[in-house]
Structure formats: C-alpha cells, structure tokens
Amino acid sequence: MAIRISRRDFAKVALSSLGLATRRVLIVAALAGMTAPGHAQGLPPDAAQVKARATEAKMTDDERFGLLRNLMVVNFKTRKRDDRVPKDMPQLAGWTQGVPRLGIPDLLFTDASLGITNPSHGRVGPDGKPDSGTALPAGMAMGSSWNVPAARRVGAMLAAEAKQRGFNIHLGGGVTLVREVLGGRNFEYFSEDPLLSGLLGGEVVAGTQANGVMATLKHLSMNNQETNKFRLDARVDPAAHRESDLLAFQIAIERGHPGTLMCGYNKVNGAYNCGNGPLLQDQVKGQLKFPGFIHSDWQAVYGWEFAAHGLDMQSGAQLDEQEWFDEPLRRAVADGKVPRARISDMVRRILYAVYVSGIDKWQGPQGTPDLAQHQALALDLSRQGVVLLKNDKVLPLAPPQKATIAVIGGFGHLGQVLGGGGSSLMEPIGGTTLDVRLGGEGLLARVPNIRLIAPGPVQALQEQFPDATLVYDDGLFPERAALLARRSDVVILNLIRYEGEGYDNPSMALPWGQDALADAVLSVKPGGIVVLQTGSAVSMPWRNKAGAILQAWYQGQAGATAVAEIIAGKTNPSGRLPVTWYESVEQTPRPKIVGAEIAPGSADTMVEYKEGAEVGYRWMAKTGKEPLYPFGHGLTYTRFAYSDFVVKGGDTVRASFTVRNIGDRPGADVPQVYLTDANGETRQRLLGFDRVELKPGESRNVTITADPRLIARFDGKANTWRIGGGSHRIVLGPDAQTVAASANVTLRSRSFGR
Ligand code: GLC
C-alpha cells in the first residue's frame, strides 16, 4: 500500500496502528433514494400523480393557464405593485393564484437559500414590525462545514420561518457548482464538487419538505458567472455536464425530491436554459426522471415556445417582455403549435408537486418558529464554517495580561458582514448596524450593499478577552494602522470584500487597498492574525507575513461571535474548504471573466467550459498544479490520525478506515476518500467523506460506499454511465492534495443507469 505524505502538515495525518474503533459508522455516499419521496404532510408519489391527473381534468382553461405563471409582489418605492395581486398579499418573490373550488392553494414563492428575505423591508412581519428572519451564514460556510445532517436542520428552519408567513414554496437550494473563482454569487453556493453540493442541497430540500413547504433546487444550469448572464451562452460537453453540474442536481433530486427546479438566465449550448429542450426535456425530465415542475428565474423567459421545450411556469411574468404563458401560449395552443397535452402536463406537474409536498393541506400563516433554536443553528454553522487556513502556532491566542489588541479595518467596530448582495440578502432579526449602499444599475441597482450586523469583531473579541484593551483602526491609512500595530501586543486584520448577485469580481484581489494595508501592518508586526470576510477565495500577497489566516466567509445572524471564539480557542475550528483556494486566477481554466469588457446585455457572450467535468480540485489534478490551499483543507487545534485503510473493488469502491483524535482537545475532522487514477488516467473525484467529532483519544471507524456515478464516465451517445474496469487508485486524506493512505483496487467493467 503506497503511502506518501505530501507537503501538507505531516503531524495532522499520522498513520499508526491505533486501537480499534469505538464504533462503526456506515456512510453511504449519495446512493440514490436515500430519503423516500413524499413528505410529512404529502401524498406518496403515485397517489399524487393520480390526484394531479384527476384535478387537472376538472379544470377550465382559464384555471389551467392561471397556474402557469407567477407574479412578483414587491412594495418598492421604485416599482409599482401589480394591481392584479390581492391587496392583502404580503411582499414576496412570486404569487400564483390557486383554484379554491378544486382545493388548489395560491402558490407563494419566497426567497432564499440563507433565510426568508424581505428586500427593502417591503413586508410587515408577524409582529407588526418590518419583517426580518434568521440570517444563515453564506452557502460557502455551510459548504465548509461538510455537515450533511446539519443541512437538513437548515431546511427545517427555512420551512418553519416560511410557514409562519404563509409562504409554501421556498426558493433556496442553490447547487450551482463554483466554477469561477471570480464569480460574484459564489458565496451563496455550497462548493465546486457535485457530491458535496448534491448532498447538502438534497438535505436542505429534504428538511424543507419534511416540514410541509415545497423546496427548489437552482439554477439549472451552468449559471456560473453573473457577467452578461442574460446573453451568455455556456458551452459544455453534454456528457461532462452530466458528470458535474447536472450530477449535483441529480444527487440532490434523489435525496430531497424537490417539488420544483428553477432554470437560470443563461444559455447552455445555444439555447436559453428555460427554453432548452435537450436540457429540460431530455436530460432533466427524461434521463433524471424529474417528476415535478420547472419554473423560470425572474426575467428569464423569451417566448411561449419555452413551454414546448420543457418550461412549466413563467416566474415574475410581468417582468418579461410579455406574459408569454398567458395569451401568447393560449393562442399557440389554439393554432396547434403547442399540443393541449403539453398544457395538461405542465399543470399536472405543478399539481403533483403541490400534492407530494402537502402544501394543499394548509394555508395562511402557520406556527411560531423557535427563533432561539434558529439563532443557535446559525451560530453553530458559523462555528463549523470558519476555515483556519494558516496557523504558525499563533492560535489559539493567549495574549499577555492587559494586552492591547488592535483590530484593523473592515468596519470591525460596527459589525460583521451579514451576507452577499442580491436575492438571498436578509433583513436579520435585530436589524443591521450599517448598510453601505454601493449603488449599481438596472433592476439590481439596489442590490450591492455591505450589510453589517452586531456583534462585530471588536465587540466579540472584547467578550472573549475581557481584560484586554481593544483598539480599532479603520485601516484607511496603512501608515496609521502600522503605528497602532507597532504599539499593540496583538494585531487582528479584518479584511472584507463585498460580493453579490449581478456582479463578478474583476480579480482575486481585495478591494480598497486592503492588501497594502495588510502588508504595512504585517511588516511591522509579522505573525499577525488575518480574518477574511469574503464570498470567494482571494489573493493574499502578504500571507507569508501573517501568523494565522481565517476564512470567515459571510457570517449571517451570528456576527463575529464564532470567529472570536475560534481565535480565543473556545471553539476548535473544523471548517474545510469546499472550493479550491488558487494561488492565482492563472491557475484556473479562465483567468478572466469572459464578457467583462462589454456593457451588460449589449452583446452575446460565449463561455467555453473546456474543463468539462474537471472543476476545481479536479482541474488541478488534471493540470498538475498545486493550489495555495486545496479543496478540503482546514486546520484545527487538535490532530487526527487515520489507520486501517481497507479498500475493496468490484462494482464500486468500498473503503473503510479508522479516524482517531490524537491531540489534546475535542475536535471534528473531515476525512475524504478520492479516486485519483482510473486505469492510468489521472482523474480525481471525491467519492465520499464524513464529518467526525471525536474527544481526545477517541476513534471511529468510517465506511464509504461510493456512488458508482462518481467513478464512471457518462457516455452521451449510449446515454449510460460506464466504468472502464481495471485498476483504480483510491486515496484517503484530509484534503484533495494530501495522501494519508492509498490503495489500488480493481473495478469490474460495466455500464449502468442513466
Ligand atoms: C433572482 C435569482 C433567484 C431568485 C429569484 C427570485 O434573480 O436569480 O435565485 O430566487 O430571482 O428573487
């Protein structure tokens, strides 16, 4: 068994003949159908299909076509409310009139992945004040937790806060893979890997629907950049698409059984997502056998023909050039251009999703969520989502008595960055301490703003170090910050970058001269601590002068508490990168965002995703490059050892091993199992993982049974998965680059599934 410990922290992964496991844990990675379809209040799928057909048969055409669109409901000063919407309808993303005589409820769509939003406080809440909700940390933090069971709790929380407002369809579940390190919306997504994103997204959906609210997965598909997304054509080999972004959807659909999917703004291989027959009809409804309905993103429909190519509902219909799925589609049916059977199919899919998720069983505001429990969940996810990237024995911090601790930059005296901009941005409970409106253009003009929430770093660190003197410097002048650093015992740089929907990042650099600030401060105070609040990986030219670097992403409702606890050692960091942290953008398939030079919407953009399914760590393996920090990387204050790595082949890969906490404090590890070579071809795939919490000395046996689709290639012609048989190298490690143990196994050559 070849064992090579690469340059990573050798001590972290020490192979030894350690004692037997204290308990066996069977982890079955992403095998289909892990959760039975149908939900707490819903009908089993077959019964839902029967009832959908029966109800549809009784409907008039007006009732049928009325279901095929939703209207956006906003109370913005800048946008007139649609007068067709009932006066008492609260602000929400989308409203579809139901059919009371047939027991079909109004459909009330609410955003989004990180909580129940209320843009510009356009809605009054259950307490009569401007509505607010529990704000979760960024999707990237959820991804960094690698905590699949926690994702289900997130779904339950989202459902409870949606139901309290009477909203019955939740527009979360962003499982788009992070392909562009410069992508402005990366913060909202989970990861670059289809297994990690699929499991987390599927569990959020399962948790949401188990609590009686219909869930969504989005954005179908390849909505990997914001730049010119309305006129962007994403070119990707269809088979590679199946092995990457669509595999994330497939895994999530099988685990969560979402009632609906949202198709995104861009084109894929020449056709708009929402009017893309090969994608919606052939791949998603045909090959993936998705039984629910597909609704468009808002302002993503360009004609009635989209109905003939697989779209079932036009969202925010009044935003498009026409309400295509009303009169124009009715005329197309009358003219025989669209078969009536297609309209029946659209309606039945919507009704199937209603019945299987059980939202016809309740209407109006329901229940009183346990907000303290939701706040605790948000804080827990924050704690588990912070990634300790570097630690030269600086953390946990043990400052001298009466220490002076300098906190520099990032509005650290006011708050922590709540989240990224756009449709996922929350109005948090308790409100924000500052909204810095950055301004923008078009429908997204109000979107870019830095929203800060208390406690900020200064307050949270003071709580952790009560006898220290916290001194804040705004970081506007590196020279001044350096002078403070010189006379301080401890320096903590708090560096931020706004990111959000509608905009990509022009480079990996931090804005506002923060790199110069960091360099000036760390030059006088090498070994200082750096906390990053960004939505994506950033370049860090000053990193060799830093003693410790923490990636906090955006922290949501919990503010800076989790980060301060980790700095103080009260919480042991356990976050692992869900994306590759590149040395520079030159290491990626596209060193620049394609189309950045044109005025948005003024011309077509084509992006050739030549990397195909080799996204992130897979790309680094294929090109033989080494990132700054690999996918899966994250340091902790204890140490873990792996032993007894045994791998079996045959139809798929089964790996078992023991993880042991060989350090002196409790902690969580995320051992990962990868395919790295298939019959001599370099191909890296995450096959499975587990998040294991262990006390000092405790060990646990983990078994990973890989979903064979993660090992196989997809044969687009034969429309089947193929494992090429022969020798496959399997690696166990704490990240995508470090080999703690490896083994070669033989797999049987075979084709299977769709
Ligand atoms: C937005 C987003 C989508 C969101 C929808 C409704 O533009 O792309 O994620 O759910 O519109 O607000």
Side-chain angles (χ1 to χ4, degrees):
M1 175 160 87
I3 297 172
R4 178 176 66 83
I5 297 287
S6 69
R7 66 184 181 81
R8 289 269 159 243
D9 174 355
F10 183 92
K12 179 169 67 176
V13 182
L15 269 185
S16 62
S17 54
L18 292 164
L20 278 185
T22 50
R23 74 184 170 95
R24 289 187 69 77
V25 176
L26 176 60
I27 305 295
V28 176
L31 282 191
M34 284 286 290
T35 49
H39 307 288
Q41 292 91 338
L43 289 178
D46 294 351
Q49 295 286 8
V50 169
K51 187 171 180 180
R53 294 180 75 88
T55 305
E56 190 272 331
K58 296 175 197 156
M59 293 170 76
T60 67
D61 265 356
D62 284 350
E63 291 166 341
R64 288 190 180 91
F65 282 92
L67 273 190
L68 304 184
R69 66 184 181 282
N70 66 62
L71 298 178
M72 184 170 78
V73 184
V74 287
N75 300 325
F76 293 169
K77 295 187 190 65
T78 53
R79 179 173 196 89
K80 185 175 155 316
R81 184 177 162 111
D82 193 302
D83 52 21
R84 290 171 290 178
V85 177
K87 293 288 169 271
D88 62 351
M89 182 62 59
Q91 171 173 285
L92 77 169
W95 165 73
T96 298
Q97 179 145 36
V99 184
R101 74 179 185 88
L102 294 172
I104 302 170
D106 282 13
L107 304 181
L108 302 172
F109 296 77
T110 182
D111 278 320
S113 304
L114 308 179
I116 306 306
T117 62
N118 180 25
S120 303
H121 273 128
R123 181 175 67 241
V124 170
D127 57 4
K129 298 184 190 128
D131 200 8
S132 59
T134 303
L136 291 166
M140 278 282 118
M142 176 89 229
S144 299
S145 77
W146 293 59
N147 190 335
V148 175
R152 187 173 283 243
R153 298 202 329 264
V154 163
M157 178 226 111
L158 293 165
E161 296 197 15
K163 277 186 104 163
Q164 184 190 27
R165 290 153 180 80
F167 301 156
N168 53 21
I169 300 181
H170 179 253
L171 298 169
V175 292
T176 299
L177 295 188
V178 174
R179 283 180 178 259
E180 302 290 359
V181 68
L182 304 179
R185 210 170 169 181
N186 293 345
F187 75 92
E188 197 178 327
Y189 300 137
F190 293 120
S191 88
E192 66 188 27
D193 176 76
L195 176 66
L196 181 55
S197 291
L199 292 178
L200 293 172
E203 286 300 311
V204 169
V205 166
T208 302
Q209 297 195 154
N211 289 278
V213 171
M214 189 191 306
T216 304
L217 288 171
K218 66 187 184 183
H219 300 88
L220 194 62
S221 176
M222 301 295 292
N223 184 184
N224 305 103
Q225 70 175 57
E226 291 298 293
T227 301
N228 210 31
K229 64 187 175 184
F230 291 94
R231 293 190 63 175
L232 182 145
D233 186 4
R235 295 273 165 176
V236 63
D237 168 67
H241 194 190
R242 281 295 307 274
E243 292 176 26
S244 52
D245 293 70
L246 287 185
L247 184 54
F249 273 91
Q250 188 169 17
I251 291 169
I253 288 167
E254 289 164 355
R255 279 185 87 89
H257 306 285
T260 184
L261 307 177
M262 184 192 298
C263 48
Y265 290 116
N266 55 286
K267 294 179 180 175
V268 169
N269 296 333
Y272 275 109
N273 273 320
C274 297
N276 192 319
L279 173 67
L280 304 186
Q281 302 271 54
D282 304 344
Q283 290 185 304
V284 175
K285 293 180 177 179
Q287 295 166 20
L288 273 56
K289 299 200 176 319
F290 177 65
F293 72 98
I294 299 174
H295 67 276
S296 72
D297 202 337
W298 273 240
Q299 219 173 357
V301 180
Y302 300 95
W304 54 262
E305 302 82 353
F306 282 31
H309 300 309
L311 183 66
D312 301 307
M313 184 186 284
Q314 180 182 6
S315 299
Q318 78 268 49
L319 300 175
D320 287 316
E321 194 190 313
Q322 290 198 44
E323 297 192 19
W324 298 105
F325 282 21
D326 187 10
E327 275 316 308
L329 182 57
R330 295 178 80 145
R331 275 198 305 279
V333 172
D335 299 346
K337 295 174 184 168
V338 175
R340 289 192 63 79
R342 175 61 185 126
I343 303 303
S344 295
D345 174 51
M346 295 162 77
V347 171
R348 286 175 195 161
R349 283 177 172 272
I350 294 168
L351 293 177
Y352 165 83
V354 167
Y355 297 141
V356 83
S357 58
I359 64 172
D360 59 316
K361 295 280 185 303
W362 63 275
Q363 293 187 31
Q366 308 274 320
T368 308
D370 181 341
L371 294 182
Q373 185 197 61
H374 294 180
Q375 162 70 9
L377 174 61
L379 178 53
D380 242 5
L381 285 174
S382 290
R383 287 169 175 146
Q384 295 178 21
V386 175
V387 184
L388 180 55
L389 296 174
K390 176 182 181 182
N391 186 22
D392 291 347
K393 300 187 174 51
V394 168
L395 296 179
L397 182 64
Q401 283 297 324
K402 306 260 180 259
T404 298
I405 299 177
V407 174
I408 297 172
F411 304 102
H413 62 313
L414 282 181
Q416 187 85 352
V417 179
L418 175 78
S423 55
S424 70
L425 187 57
M426 288 295 295
E427 304 292 343
I429 293 169
T432 56
T433 51
L434 178 69
D435 279 14
V436 182
R437 288 204 175 284
L438 301 176
E441 54 189 313
L443 192 68
L444 295 167
R446 312 172 57 80
V447 161
N449 63 66
I450 302 174
R451 185 161 285 174
L452 296 166
I453 184 167
V458 172
Q459 181 188 340
L461 286 162
Q462 186 70 82
E463 283 162 17
Q464 295 299 329
F465 301 99
D467 72 344
T469 301
L470 271 291
V471 182
Y472 172 71
D473 178 284
D474 57 22
L476 294 180
F477 298 96
E479 306 81 349
R480 182 172 66 195
L483 289 173
L484 170 62
R486 201 185 288 280
R487 61 175 188 270
S488 301
D489 299 297
V490 176
V491 165
I492 298 173
L493 280 153
N494 173 48
L495 309 177
I496 71 173
R497 183 171 79 175
Y498 166 81
E499 298 175 40
E501 184 178 337
Y503 303 88
D504 294 314
N505 304 302
S507 78
M508 286 181 70
L510 288 167
W512 303 314
Q514 293 179 99
D515 283 332
L517 168 66
D519 194 59
V521 168
L522 295 171
S523 296
V524 301
K525 201 82 182 174
I529 299 161
V530 179
V531 178
L532 297 166
Q533 297 184 59
T534 66
S536 297
V538 294
S539 50
M540 302 183 278
W542 34 262
R543 66 183 175 279
N544 293 333
K545 298 175 183 171
I549 303 172
L550 284 150
Q551 170 60 2
W553 310 110
Y554 300 135
Q555 287 292 298
Q557 189 87 31
T561 302
V563 172
E565 287 179 354
I566 287 169
I567 289 174
K570 191 170 156 197
T571 294
N572 190 356
S574 62
R576 299 294 192 276
L577 287 177
V579 289
T580 299
W581 198 292
Y582 300 99
E583 185 88 38
S584 75
V585 73
E586 276 65 43
Q587 287 190 321
T588 71
R590 279 166 301 284
K592 278 201 178 324
I593 285 283
V594 177
E597 69 288 351
I598 61 172
S602 63
D604 290 335
T605 299
M606 183 189 291
V607 182
E608 300 272 0
Y609 290 93
K610 290 198 179 70
E611 72 276 20
E614 308 314 307
V615 182
Y617 68 88
R618 299 174 169 192
W619 175 253
M620 302 305 270
K622 182 174 177 160
T623 55
K625 292 173 185 159
E626 198 155 317
L628 188 53
Y629 300 108
F631 174 81
H633 169 76
L635 302 177
T636 169
Y637 296 150
T638 185
R639 292 183 305 139
F640 295 97
Y642 304 151
S643 61
D644 315 321
F645 183 54
V646 175
V647 189
K648 293 194 179 70
D651 281 358
T652 187
V653 167
R654 287 172 187 77
S656 68
F657 54 90
T658 301
V659 197
R660 186 183 185 90
N661 183 340
I662 58 173
D664 59 5
R665 67 168 70 202
D669 191 31
V670 183
Q672 301 138 48
V673 174
Y674 292 92
L675 167 70
T676 59
D677 180 292
N679 263 330
E681 178 210 352
T682 297
R683 177 155 33 105
Q684 188 162 13
R685 297 284 188 271
L686 174 68
L687 300 183
F689 62 89
D690 189 20
R691 186 178 188 279
V692 187
E693 295 187 3
L694 296 171
K695 298 187 187 66
E698 190 182 12
S699 62
R700 190 166 306 157
N701 187 285
V702 175
T703 297
I704 303 277
T705 299
D707 180 329
R709 294 169 298 192
L710 295 168
I711 300 164
R713 304 311 306 266
F714 189 77
D715 178 336
K717 288 194 184 54
N719 195 9
T720 184
W721 294 94
R722 260 193 231 293
I723 289 182
S727 173
H728 288 66
R729 184 168 181 262
I730 310 301
V731 166
L732 166 65
D735 59 51
Q737 292 255 317
T738 302
V739 176
S742 69
N744 289 322
V745 288
T746 300
L747 294 181
R748 185 166 64 82
S749 173
R750 66 191 182 103
S751 302
F752 60 93
R754 298 190 110 194

